[in-house]
Amino acid sequence: MIADPERLSIDVTADDSAVEADVSVSLGLIVTELVINALKHAFPDERNGTILVDYQSSGQDWTLSITDNGIGMPEGNEAPKAGLGTGIVEALVKNLEGEITLADAGPGTIVKISHQQGKGSRTDVSKAA
Ligand SMILES: Nc1ncnc2c1ncn2[C@@H]1O[C@H](COP(=O)(O)OP(=O)(O)OP(=O)(O)O)[C@@H](O)[C@H]1O
Ligand SMILES: [Mg+2]
């Protein structure tokens, strides 16, 4: 997938917790879509960069984040149109009763998905995937 590993790298950090099989399948699909997004959109013109996938949990609460140091996501009128990937990620996150936050990673983009026990789902960030 990465034609030139000198140009782009992926780092993964995670704690050693375990989740149910169905949750892990959903987390895997979310990671796949968001990492592909970073590879497809964040590093045009052969830019160099890094994608970081992080997963940390505490009891039943967990946070997954995918961060890139690419061109960032335009906001306001310039905001990109959500594609199929956004819909899939939103549906998966809703199913996991999680919340999506999209932020500027200065430079780049950070998409954070967090699940807190007792908190309902909230997936109103339409351009997160
Ligand atoms: N990491 C990122 N950096 C910069 N722009 C991004 C990033 N992720 C997404 N985008 C922008 O947001 C848009 C919407 O992403 P989305 O995943 O919904 O659609 P897509 O990747 O274009 O198509 P699909 O996921 O259906 O194959 C993208 O077209 C792109 O312009
Ligand atoms: Mg996509």
Side-chain angles (χ1 to χ4, degrees), residues 33-44 66-68 70-74 79-89 102 108-111 126-129:
E33 165 57 22
L34 296 177
V35 168
I36 289 175
N37 268 0
L39 290 171
K40 271 203 313 193
H41 306 298
F43 305 105
I66 289 82
T67 308
D68 67 65
I71 58 168
M73 200 108 67
K81 261 199 150 172
L84 183 63
T86 293
I88 292 171
V89 170
L102 183 69
T109 303
I110 174 164
V111 183
S126 59
K127 59 184 192 305

PDB file of all heavy atoms in Angstrom, residues 33-44 66-68 70-74 79-89 102 108-111 126-129, ligand 1:
ATOM      1  N   GLU A  33     -10.427   2.399   7.145  1.00  0.00           N
ATOM      2  CA  GLU A  33     -10.953   3.523   6.361  1.00  0.00           C
ATOM      3  C   GLU A  33     -10.172   4.809   6.650  1.00  0.00           C
ATOM      4  O   GLU A  33      -9.824   5.558   5.730  1.00  0.00           O
ATOM      5  CB  GLU A  33     -12.452   3.707   6.653  1.00  0.00           C
ATOM      6  CG  GLU A  33     -13.044   5.020   6.192  1.00  0.00           C
ATOM      7  CD  GLU A  33     -12.869   5.316   4.698  1.00  0.00           C
ATOM      8  OE1 GLU A  33     -12.664   4.376   3.905  1.00  0.00           O
ATOM      9  OE2 GLU A  33     -12.912   6.507   4.333  1.00  0.00           O
ATOM     10  N   LEU A  34      -9.887   5.067   7.929  1.00  0.00           N
ATOM     11  CA  LEU A  34      -9.228   6.341   8.257  1.00  0.00           C
ATOM     12  C   LEU A  34      -7.762   6.354   7.839  1.00  0.00           C
ATOM     13  O   LEU A  34      -7.233   7.399   7.441  1.00  0.00           O
ATOM     14  CB  LEU A  34      -9.407   6.652   9.750  1.00  0.00           C
ATOM     15  CG  LEU A  34     -10.873   6.884  10.163  1.00  0.00           C
ATOM     16  CD1 LEU A  34     -10.978   7.118  11.676  1.00  0.00           C
ATOM     17  CD2 LEU A  34     -11.485   8.068   9.406  1.00  0.00           C
ATOM     18  N   VAL A  35      -7.102   5.202   7.903  1.00  0.00           N
ATOM     19  CA  VAL A  35      -5.703   5.153   7.430  1.00  0.00           C
ATOM     20  C   VAL A  35      -5.677   5.301   5.908  1.00  0.00           C
ATOM     21  O   VAL A  35      -4.835   6.026   5.360  1.00  0.00           O
ATOM     22  CB  VAL A  35      -5.009   3.843   7.879  1.00  0.00           C
ATOM     23  CG1 VAL A  35      -3.685   3.651   7.147  1.00  0.00           C
ATOM     24  CG2 VAL A  35      -4.775   3.858   9.386  1.00  0.00           C
ATOM     25  N   ILE A  36      -6.624   4.641   5.220  1.00  0.00           N
ATOM     26  CA  ILE A  36      -6.677   4.803   3.756  1.00  0.00           C
ATOM     27  C   ILE A  36      -6.963   6.266   3.405  1.00  0.00           C
ATOM     28  O   ILE A  36      -6.387   6.821   2.474  1.00  0.00           O
ATOM     29  CB  ILE A  36      -7.716   3.848   3.126  1.00  0.00           C
ATOM     30  CG1 ILE A  36      -7.200   2.413   3.212  1.00  0.00           C
ATOM     31  CG2 ILE A  36      -8.003   4.226   1.674  1.00  0.00           C
ATOM     32  CD1 ILE A  36      -8.174   1.350   2.742  1.00  0.00           C
ATOM     33  N   ASN A  37      -7.837   6.915   4.170  1.00  0.00           N
ATOM     34  CA  ASN A  37      -8.089   8.344   3.943  1.00  0.00           C
ATOM     35  C   ASN A  37      -6.800   9.148   4.049  1.00  0.00           C
ATOM     36  O   ASN A  37      -6.528  10.016   3.215  1.00  0.00           O
ATOM     37  CB  ASN A  37      -9.079   8.888   4.977  1.00  0.00           C
ATOM     38  CG  ASN A  37     -10.506   8.813   4.484  1.00  0.00           C
ATOM     39  OD1 ASN A  37     -10.764   8.353   3.382  1.00  0.00           O
ATOM     40  ND2 ASN A  37     -11.421   9.254   5.319  1.00  0.00           N
ATOM     41  N   ALA A  38      -6.042   8.893   5.096  1.00  0.00           N
ATOM     42  CA  ALA A  38      -4.790   9.639   5.259  1.00  0.00           C
ATOM     43  C   ALA A  38      -3.861   9.367   4.072  1.00  0.00           C
ATOM     44  O   ALA A  38      -3.277  10.298   3.507  1.00  0.00           O
ATOM     45  CB  ALA A  38      -4.120   9.258   6.578  1.00  0.00           C
ATOM     46  N   LEU A  39      -3.765   8.103   3.665  1.00  0.00           N
ATOM     47  CA  LEU A  39      -2.885   7.767   2.545  1.00  0.00           C
ATOM     48  C   LEU A  39      -3.367   8.417   1.246  1.00  0.00           C
ATOM     49  O   LEU A  39      -2.570   8.885   0.437  1.00  0.00           O
ATOM     50  CB  LEU A  39      -2.825   6.239   2.360  1.00  0.00           C
ATOM     51  CG  LEU A  39      -2.090   5.463   3.451  1.00  0.00           C
ATOM     52  CD1 LEU A  39      -2.309   3.953   3.259  1.00  0.00           C
ATOM     53  CD2 LEU A  39      -0.603   5.782   3.442  1.00  0.00           C
ATOM     54  N   LYS A  40      -4.709   8.448   1.065  1.00  0.00           N
ATOM     55  CA  LYS A  40      -5.272   8.966  -0.198  1.00  0.00           C
ATOM     56  C   LYS A  40      -5.277  10.479  -0.270  1.00  0.00           C
ATOM     57  O   LYS A  40      -5.082  11.059  -1.327  1.00  0.00           O
ATOM     58  CB  LYS A  40      -6.745   8.508  -0.328  1.00  0.00           C
ATOM     59  CG  LYS A  40      -6.962   7.201  -0.990  1.00  0.00           C
ATOM     60  CD  LYS A  40      -8.374   7.047  -1.601  1.00  0.00           C
ATOM     61  CE  LYS A  40      -9.530   7.432  -0.739  1.00  0.00           C
ATOM     62  NZ  LYS A  40     -10.835   6.981  -1.272  1.00  0.00           N
ATOM     63  N   HIS A  41      -5.561  11.121   0.873  1.00  0.00           N
ATOM     64  CA  HIS A  41      -5.866  12.560   0.824  1.00  0.00           C
ATOM     65  C   HIS A  41      -4.854  13.467   1.521  1.00  0.00           C
ATOM     66  O   HIS A  41      -4.785  14.652   1.200  1.00  0.00           O
ATOM     67  CB  HIS A  41      -7.229  12.825   1.477  1.00  0.00           C
ATOM     68  CG  HIS A  41      -8.339  12.013   0.910  1.00  0.00           C
ATOM     69  ND1 HIS A  41      -8.747  12.102  -0.400  1.00  0.00           N
ATOM     70  CD2 HIS A  41      -9.148  11.069   1.475  1.00  0.00           C
ATOM     71  CE1 HIS A  41      -9.761  11.261  -0.618  1.00  0.00           C
ATOM     72  NE2 HIS A  41     -10.014  10.626   0.508  1.00  0.00           N
ATOM     73  N   ALA A  42      -4.110  12.956   2.498  1.00  0.00           N
ATOM     74  CA  ALA A  42      -3.321  13.871   3.342  1.00  0.00           C
ATOM     75  C   ALA A  42      -1.950  14.219   2.764  1.00  0.00           C
ATOM     76  O   ALA A  42      -1.359  15.223   3.162  1.00  0.00           O
ATOM     77  CB  ALA A  42      -3.158  13.267   4.743  1.00  0.00           C
ATOM     78  N   PHE A  43      -1.465  13.382   1.859  1.00  0.00           N
ATOM     79  CA  PHE A  43      -0.085  13.586   1.392  1.00  0.00           C
ATOM     80  C   PHE A  43       0.009  13.662  -0.133  1.00  0.00           C
ATOM     81  O   PHE A  43       0.576  12.785  -0.785  1.00  0.00           O
ATOM     82  CB  PHE A  43       0.807  12.448   1.917  1.00  0.00           C
ATOM     83  CG  PHE A  43       0.756  12.286   3.404  1.00  0.00           C
ATOM     84  CD1 PHE A  43       0.050  11.242   3.984  1.00  0.00           C
ATOM     85  CD2 PHE A  43       1.400  13.192   4.241  1.00  0.00           C
ATOM     86  CE1 PHE A  43      -0.019  11.089   5.353  1.00  0.00           C
ATOM     87  CE2 PHE A  43       1.337  13.055   5.619  1.00  0.00           C
ATOM     88  CZ  PHE A  43       0.630  12.004   6.183  1.00  0.00           C
ATOM     89  N   PRO A  44      -0.588  14.726  -0.727  1.00  0.00           N
ATOM     90  CA  PRO A  44      -0.494  14.862  -2.183  1.00  0.00           C
ATOM     91  C   PRO A  44       0.926  15.267  -2.584  1.00  0.00           C
ATOM     92  O   PRO A  44       1.737  15.665  -1.737  1.00  0.00           O
ATOM     93  CB  PRO A  44      -1.499  15.973  -2.483  1.00  0.00           C
ATOM     94  CG  PRO A  44      -1.550  16.781  -1.234  1.00  0.00           C
ATOM     95  CD  PRO A  44      -1.314  15.826  -0.096  1.00  0.00           C
ATOM     96  N   ILE A  66      -6.599   8.378  14.913  1.00  0.00           N
ATOM     97  CA  ILE A  66      -5.773   8.267  13.705  1.00  0.00           C
ATOM     98  C   ILE A  66      -5.317   9.686  13.385  1.00  0.00           C
ATOM     99  O   ILE A  66      -6.146  10.576  13.149  1.00  0.00           O
ATOM    100  CB  ILE A  66      -6.561   7.655  12.519  1.00  0.00           C
ATOM    101  CG1 ILE A  66      -6.826   6.156  12.735  1.00  0.00           C
ATOM    102  CG2 ILE A  66      -5.735   7.764  11.223  1.00  0.00           C
ATOM    103  CD1 ILE A  66      -7.940   5.795  13.567  1.00  0.00           C
ATOM    104  N   THR A  67      -4.028   9.889  13.438  1.00  0.00           N
ATOM    105  CA  THR A  67      -3.466  11.233  13.255  1.00  0.00           C
ATOM    106  C   THR A  67      -2.521  11.217  12.067  1.00  0.00           C
ATOM    107  O   THR A  67      -1.732  10.278  11.914  1.00  0.00           O
ATOM    108  CB  THR A  67      -2.655  11.642  14.504  1.00  0.00           C
ATOM    109  OG1 THR A  67      -3.469  11.469  15.665  1.00  0.00           O
ATOM    110  CG2 THR A  67      -2.192  13.088  14.425  1.00  0.00           C
ATOM    111  N   ASP A  68      -2.596  12.249  11.232  1.00  0.00           N
ATOM    112  CA  ASP A  68      -1.587  12.388  10.175  1.00  0.00           C
ATOM    113  C   ASP A  68      -1.016  13.791  10.236  1.00  0.00           C
ATOM    114  O   ASP A  68      -1.625  14.692  10.805  1.00  0.00           O
ATOM    115  CB  ASP A  68      -2.190  12.079   8.791  1.00  0.00           C
ATOM    116  CG  ASP A  68      -3.227  13.105   8.348  1.00  0.00           C
ATOM    117  OD1 ASP A  68      -2.847  14.270   8.136  1.00  0.00           O
ATOM    118  OD2 ASP A  68      -4.418  12.744   8.232  1.00  0.00           O
ATOM    119  N   GLY A  70      -0.320  15.592   7.515  1.00  0.00           N
ATOM    120  CA  GLY A  70      -0.435  16.007   6.116  1.00  0.00           C
ATOM    121  C   GLY A  70      -1.012  17.392   5.947  1.00  0.00           C
ATOM    122  O   GLY A  70      -0.809  18.271   6.791  1.00  0.00           O
ATOM    123  N   ILE A  71      -1.785  17.562   4.870  1.00  0.00           N
ATOM    124  CA  ILE A  71      -2.249  18.909   4.485  1.00  0.00           C
ATOM    125  C   ILE A  71      -3.401  19.430   5.325  1.00  0.00           C
ATOM    126  O   ILE A  71      -3.758  20.601   5.234  1.00  0.00           O
ATOM    127  CB  ILE A  71      -2.682  18.954   2.997  1.00  0.00           C
ATOM    128  CG1 ILE A  71      -3.788  17.927   2.716  1.00  0.00           C
ATOM    129  CG2 ILE A  71      -1.485  18.752   2.089  1.00  0.00           C
ATOM    130  CD1 ILE A  71      -4.455  18.112   1.366  1.00  0.00           C
ATOM    131  N   GLY A  72      -4.017  18.547   6.136  1.00  0.00           N
ATOM    132  CA  GLY A  72      -5.141  19.002   6.965  1.00  0.00           C
ATOM    133  C   GLY A  72      -6.437  18.991   6.176  1.00  0.00           C
ATOM    134  O   GLY A  72      -6.445  18.857   4.954  1.00  0.00           O
ATOM    135  N   MET A  73      -7.517  19.147   6.918  1.00  0.00           N
ATOM    136  CA  MET A  73      -8.843  19.088   6.314  1.00  0.00           C
ATOM    137  C   MET A  73      -9.409  20.495   6.253  1.00  0.00           C
ATOM    138  O   MET A  73      -9.578  21.145   7.286  1.00  0.00           O
ATOM    139  CB  MET A  73      -9.712  18.204   7.207  1.00  0.00           C
ATOM    140  CG  MET A  73     -10.877  17.687   6.538  1.00  0.00           C
ATOM    141  SD  MET A  73     -10.979  15.999   6.092  1.00  0.00           S
ATOM    142  CE  MET A  73     -11.050  15.102   7.575  1.00  0.00           C
ATOM    143  N   PRO A  74      -9.729  21.010   5.065  1.00  0.00           N
ATOM    144  CA  PRO A  74     -10.298  22.355   4.984  1.00  0.00           C
ATOM    145  C   PRO A  74     -11.620  22.449   5.740  1.00  0.00           C
ATOM    146  O   PRO A  74     -12.354  21.460   5.814  1.00  0.00           O
ATOM    147  CB  PRO A  74     -10.530  22.553   3.481  1.00  0.00           C
ATOM    148  CG  PRO A  74      -9.773  21.475   2.806  1.00  0.00           C
ATOM    149  CD  PRO A  74      -9.629  20.350   3.770  1.00  0.00           C
ATOM    150  N   ALA A  79     -14.876  22.898   3.146  1.00  0.00           N
ATOM    151  CA  ALA A  79     -14.907  21.531   3.694  1.00  0.00           C
ATOM    152  C   ALA A  79     -15.221  20.531   2.587  1.00  0.00           C
ATOM    153  O   ALA A  79     -16.095  20.772   1.751  1.00  0.00           O
ATOM    154  CB  ALA A  79     -15.953  21.439   4.796  1.00  0.00           C
ATOM    155  N   PRO A  80     -14.496  19.406   2.574  1.00  0.00           N
ATOM    156  CA  PRO A  80     -14.727  18.425   1.517  1.00  0.00           C
ATOM    157  C   PRO A  80     -16.067  17.736   1.690  1.00  0.00           C
ATOM    158  O   PRO A  80     -16.613  17.671   2.787  1.00  0.00           O
ATOM    159  CB  PRO A  80     -13.585  17.421   1.715  1.00  0.00           C
ATOM    160  CG  PRO A  80     -13.177  17.571   3.133  1.00  0.00           C
ATOM    161  CD  PRO A  80     -13.466  18.990   3.514  1.00  0.00           C
ATOM    162  N   LYS A  81     -16.568  17.225   0.581  1.00  0.00           N
ATOM    163  CA  LYS A  81     -17.830  16.471   0.617  1.00  0.00           C
ATOM    164  C   LYS A  81     -17.585  15.109   1.223  1.00  0.00           C
ATOM    165  O   LYS A  81     -16.586  14.450   0.897  1.00  0.00           O
ATOM    166  CB  LYS A  81     -18.331  16.286  -0.817  1.00  0.00           C
ATOM    167  CG  LYS A  81     -19.392  17.268  -1.210  1.00  0.00           C
ATOM    168  CD  LYS A  81     -20.138  16.745  -2.417  1.00  0.00           C
ATOM    169  CE  LYS A  81     -21.560  17.248  -2.375  1.00  0.00           C
ATOM    170  NZ  LYS A  81     -22.319  16.994  -3.531  1.00  0.00           N
ATOM    171  N   ALA A  82     -18.494  14.705   2.109  1.00  0.00           N
ATOM    172  CA  ALA A  82     -18.362  13.384   2.715  1.00  0.00           C
ATOM    173  C   ALA A  82     -18.597  12.318   1.663  1.00  0.00           C
ATOM    174  O   ALA A  82     -19.494  12.423   0.845  1.00  0.00           O
ATOM    175  CB  ALA A  82     -19.374  13.240   3.844  1.00  0.00           C
ATOM    176  N   GLY A  83     -17.763  11.298   1.686  1.00  0.00           N
ATOM    177  CA  GLY A  83     -17.916  10.183   0.751  1.00  0.00           C
ATOM    178  C   GLY A  83     -18.545   8.993   1.457  1.00  0.00           C
ATOM    179  O   GLY A  83     -19.042   9.097   2.589  1.00  0.00           O
ATOM    180  N   LEU A  84     -18.472   7.858   0.805  1.00  0.00           N
ATOM    181  CA  LEU A  84     -19.030   6.634   1.368  1.00  0.00           C
ATOM    182  C   LEU A  84     -18.329   6.268   2.684  1.00  0.00           C
ATOM    183  O   LEU A  84     -18.945   5.804   3.637  1.00  0.00           O
ATOM    184  CB  LEU A  84     -18.879   5.504   0.342  1.00  0.00           C
ATOM    185  CG  LEU A  84     -19.462   4.150   0.694  1.00  0.00           C
ATOM    186  CD1 LEU A  84     -20.974   4.264   0.858  1.00  0.00           C
ATOM    187  CD2 LEU A  84     -19.122   3.143  -0.397  1.00  0.00           C
ATOM    188  N   GLY A  85     -17.012   6.520   2.713  1.00  0.00           N
ATOM    189  CA  GLY A  85     -16.228   6.167   3.902  1.00  0.00           C
ATOM    190  C   GLY A  85     -16.749   6.840   5.157  1.00  0.00           C
ATOM    191  O   GLY A  85     -16.821   6.230   6.231  1.00  0.00           O
ATOM    192  N   THR A  86     -17.144   8.112   5.019  1.00  0.00           N
ATOM    193  CA  THR A  86     -17.688   8.838   6.178  1.00  0.00           C
ATOM    194  C   THR A  86     -18.936   8.151   6.707  1.00  0.00           C
ATOM    195  O   THR A  86     -19.091   7.961   7.924  1.00  0.00           O
ATOM    196  CB  THR A  86     -18.025  10.293   5.784  1.00  0.00           C
ATOM    197  OG1 THR A  86     -16.802  10.961   5.491  1.00  0.00           O
ATOM    198  CG2 THR A  86     -18.730  11.027   6.905  1.00  0.00           C
ATOM    199  N   GLY A  87     -19.808   7.756   5.792  1.00  0.00           N
ATOM    200  CA  GLY A  87     -21.050   7.085   6.201  1.00  0.00           C
ATOM    201  C   GLY A  87     -20.765   5.777   6.915  1.00  0.00           C
ATOM    202  O   GLY A  87     -21.408   5.453   7.936  1.00  0.00           O
ATOM    203  N   ILE A  88     -19.800   5.029   6.410  1.00  0.00           N
ATOM    204  CA  ILE A  88     -19.472   3.733   7.022  1.00  0.00           C
ATOM    205  C   ILE A  88     -18.897   3.940   8.422  1.00  0.00           C
ATOM    206  O   ILE A  88     -19.292   3.279   9.383  1.00  0.00           O
ATOM    207  CB  ILE A  88     -18.489   2.954   6.121  1.00  0.00           C
ATOM    208  CG1 ILE A  88     -19.196   2.537   4.832  1.00  0.00           C
ATOM    209  CG2 ILE A  88     -17.918   1.735   6.848  1.00  0.00           C
ATOM    210  CD1 ILE A  88     -18.285   1.962   3.770  1.00  0.00           C
ATOM    211  N   VAL A  89     -17.967   4.892   8.543  1.00  0.00           N
ATOM    212  CA  VAL A  89     -17.361   5.151   9.857  1.00  0.00           C
ATOM    213  C   VAL A  89     -18.422   5.644  10.846  1.00  0.00           C
ATOM    214  O   VAL A  89     -18.480   5.193  11.996  1.00  0.00           O
ATOM    215  CB  VAL A  89     -16.184   6.153   9.748  1.00  0.00           C
ATOM    216  CG1 VAL A  89     -15.726   6.618  11.127  1.00  0.00           C
ATOM    217  CG2 VAL A  89     -15.028   5.521   8.993  1.00  0.00           C
ATOM    218  N   LEU A 102     -13.171  15.559  15.209  1.00  0.00           N
ATOM    219  CA  LEU A 102     -12.226  15.851  14.143  1.00  0.00           C
ATOM    220  C   LEU A 102     -11.499  17.133  14.508  1.00  0.00           C
ATOM    221  O   LEU A 102     -12.140  18.108  14.879  1.00  0.00           O
ATOM    222  CB  LEU A 102     -13.030  16.052  12.863  1.00  0.00           C
ATOM    223  CG  LEU A 102     -12.299  16.295  11.577  1.00  0.00           C
ATOM    224  CD1 LEU A 102     -11.553  15.042  11.149  1.00  0.00           C
ATOM    225  CD2 LEU A 102     -13.304  16.691  10.507  1.00  0.00           C
ATOM    226  N   GLY A 108      -1.900  18.814   9.830  1.00  0.00           N
ATOM    227  CA  GLY A 108      -2.547  17.526   9.600  1.00  0.00           C
ATOM    228  C   GLY A 108      -3.905  17.424  10.247  1.00  0.00           C
ATOM    229  O   GLY A 108      -4.542  18.415  10.584  1.00  0.00           O
ATOM    230  N   THR A 109      -4.327  16.197  10.403  1.00  0.00           N
ATOM    231  CA  THR A 109      -5.687  15.924  10.874  1.00  0.00           C
ATOM    232  C   THR A 109      -5.644  14.854  11.947  1.00  0.00           C
ATOM    233  O   THR A 109      -4.889  13.878  11.829  1.00  0.00           O
ATOM    234  CB  THR A 109      -6.539  15.395   9.686  1.00  0.00           C
ATOM    235  OG1 THR A 109      -6.516  16.361   8.639  1.00  0.00           O
ATOM    236  CG2 THR A 109      -7.983  15.124  10.102  1.00  0.00           C
ATOM    237  N   ILE A 110      -6.454  15.048  12.983  1.00  0.00           N
ATOM    238  CA  ILE A 110      -6.621  13.978  13.967  1.00  0.00           C
ATOM    239  C   ILE A 110      -8.107  13.632  14.045  1.00  0.00           C
ATOM    240  O   ILE A 110      -8.948  14.514  14.204  1.00  0.00           O
ATOM    241  CB  ILE A 110      -6.035  14.335  15.352  1.00  0.00           C
ATOM    242  CG1 ILE A 110      -6.367  13.237  16.357  1.00  0.00           C
ATOM    243  CG2 ILE A 110      -6.497  15.683  15.867  1.00  0.00           C
ATOM    244  CD1 ILE A 110      -5.538  13.298  17.628  1.00  0.00           C
ATOM    245  N   VAL A 111      -8.390  12.363  13.866  1.00  0.00           N
ATOM    246  CA  VAL A 111      -9.758  11.865  14.031  1.00  0.00           C
ATOM    247  C   VAL A 111      -9.744  10.983  15.270  1.00  0.00           C
ATOM    248  O   VAL A 111      -8.998  10.004  15.344  1.00  0.00           O
ATOM    249  CB  VAL A 111     -10.227  11.043  12.813  1.00  0.00           C
ATOM    250  CG1 VAL A 111     -11.689  10.617  13.002  1.00  0.00           C
ATOM    251  CG2 VAL A 111     -10.074  11.834  11.516  1.00  0.00           C
ATOM    252  N   SER A 126     -19.744  15.282  10.125  1.00  0.00           N
ATOM    253  CA  SER A 126     -20.056  14.625   8.869  1.00  0.00           C
ATOM    254  C   SER A 126     -18.844  14.379   7.986  1.00  0.00           C
ATOM    255  O   SER A 126     -18.891  13.580   7.075  1.00  0.00           O
ATOM    256  CB  SER A 126     -21.071  15.455   8.103  1.00  0.00           C
ATOM    257  OG  SER A 126     -20.522  16.731   7.885  1.00  0.00           O
ATOM    258  N   LYS A 127     -17.724  15.061   8.264  1.00  0.00           N
ATOM    259  CA  LYS A 127     -16.599  14.874   7.356  1.00  0.00           C
ATOM    260  C   LYS A 127     -15.429  14.170   8.040  1.00  0.00           C
ATOM    261  O   LYS A 127     -14.282  14.396   7.709  1.00  0.00           O
ATOM    262  CB  LYS A 127     -16.159  16.201   6.786  1.00  0.00           C
ATOM    263  CG  LYS A 127     -15.739  17.225   7.813  1.00  0.00           C
ATOM    264  CD  LYS A 127     -15.414  18.518   7.113  1.00  0.00           C
ATOM    265  CE  LYS A 127     -14.706  19.515   8.017  1.00  0.00           C
ATOM    266  NZ  LYS A 127     -15.405  19.806   9.235  1.00  0.00           N
ATOM    267  N   ALA A 128     -15.739  13.289   8.945  1.00  0.00           N
ATOM    268  CA  ALA A 128     -14.653  12.697   9.716  1.00  0.00           C
ATOM    269  C   ALA A 128     -13.960  11.545   9.031  1.00  0.00           C
ATOM    270  O   ALA A 128     -12.930  11.093   9.505  1.00  0.00           O
ATOM    271  CB  ALA A 128     -15.167  12.251  11.080  1.00  0.00           C
ATOM    272  N   ALA A 129     -14.506  11.007   7.970  1.00  0.00           N
ATOM    273  CA  ALA A 129     -13.860   9.852   7.361  1.00  0.00           C
ATOM    274  C   ALA A 129     -13.545  10.108   5.904  1.00  0.00           C
ATOM    275  O   ALA A 129     -14.102  10.966   5.294  1.00  0.00           O
ATOM    276  CB  ALA A 129     -14.762   8.661   7.465  1.00  0.00           C
TER     277      ALA A 129
HETATM  278  N1  LIG B   1      -6.715  12.641   6.508  1.00  0.00           N
HETATM  279  C1  LIG B   1      -7.236  13.517   5.635  1.00  0.00           C
HETATM  280  N2  LIG B   1      -6.530  14.604   5.231  1.00  0.00           N
HETATM  281  C2  LIG B   1      -7.038  15.500   4.349  1.00  0.00           C
HETATM  282  N3  LIG B   1      -8.282  15.393   3.800  1.00  0.00           N
HETATM  283  C3  LIG B   1      -9.029  14.324   4.161  1.00  0.00           C
HETATM  284  C4  LIG B   1      -8.557  13.333   5.084  1.00  0.00           C
HETATM  285  N4  LIG B   1      -9.533  12.407   5.251  1.00  0.00           N
HETATM  286  C5  LIG B   1     -10.545  12.785   4.472  1.00  0.00           C
HETATM  287  N5  LIG B   1     -10.254  13.932   3.806  1.00  0.00           N
HETATM  288  C6  LIG B   1     -11.157  14.661   2.881  1.00  0.00           C
HETATM  289  O1  LIG B   1     -12.492  14.346   3.235  1.00  0.00           O
HETATM  290  C7  LIG B   1     -13.183  13.828   2.109  1.00  0.00           C
HETATM  291  C8  LIG B   1     -14.230  12.847   2.557  1.00  0.00           C
HETATM  292  O2  LIG B   1     -13.630  11.610   2.993  1.00  0.00           O
HETATM  293  P1  LIG B   1     -14.444  10.260   2.810  1.00  0.00           P
HETATM  294  O3  LIG B   1     -13.668   9.163   3.434  1.00  0.00           O
HETATM  295  O4  LIG B   1     -15.840  10.457   3.296  1.00  0.00           O
HETATM  296  O5  LIG B   1     -14.523  10.084   1.244  1.00  0.00           O
HETATM  297  P2  LIG B   1     -13.411   9.570   0.233  1.00  0.00           P
HETATM  298  O6  LIG B   1     -12.218   9.058   0.980  1.00  0.00           O
HETATM  299  O7  LIG B   1     -13.191  10.686  -0.762  1.00  0.00           O
HETATM  300  O8  LIG B   1     -14.153   8.381  -0.506  1.00  0.00           O
HETATM  301  P3  LIG B   1     -14.433   6.913   0.082  1.00  0.00           P
HETATM  302  O9  LIG B   1     -14.072   6.882   1.524  1.00  0.00           O
HETATM  303  O10 LIG B   1     -15.898   6.707  -0.121  1.00  0.00           O
HETATM  304  O11 LIG B   1     -13.576   6.018  -0.757  1.00  0.00           O
HETATM  305  C9  LIG B   1     -12.104  13.284   1.191  1.00  0.00           C
HETATM  306  O12 LIG B   1     -12.494  13.251  -0.160  1.00  0.00           O
HETATM  307  C10 LIG B   1     -10.958  14.274   1.433  1.00  0.00           C
HETATM  308  O13 LIG B   1     -11.127  15.428   0.645  1.00  0.00           O
END
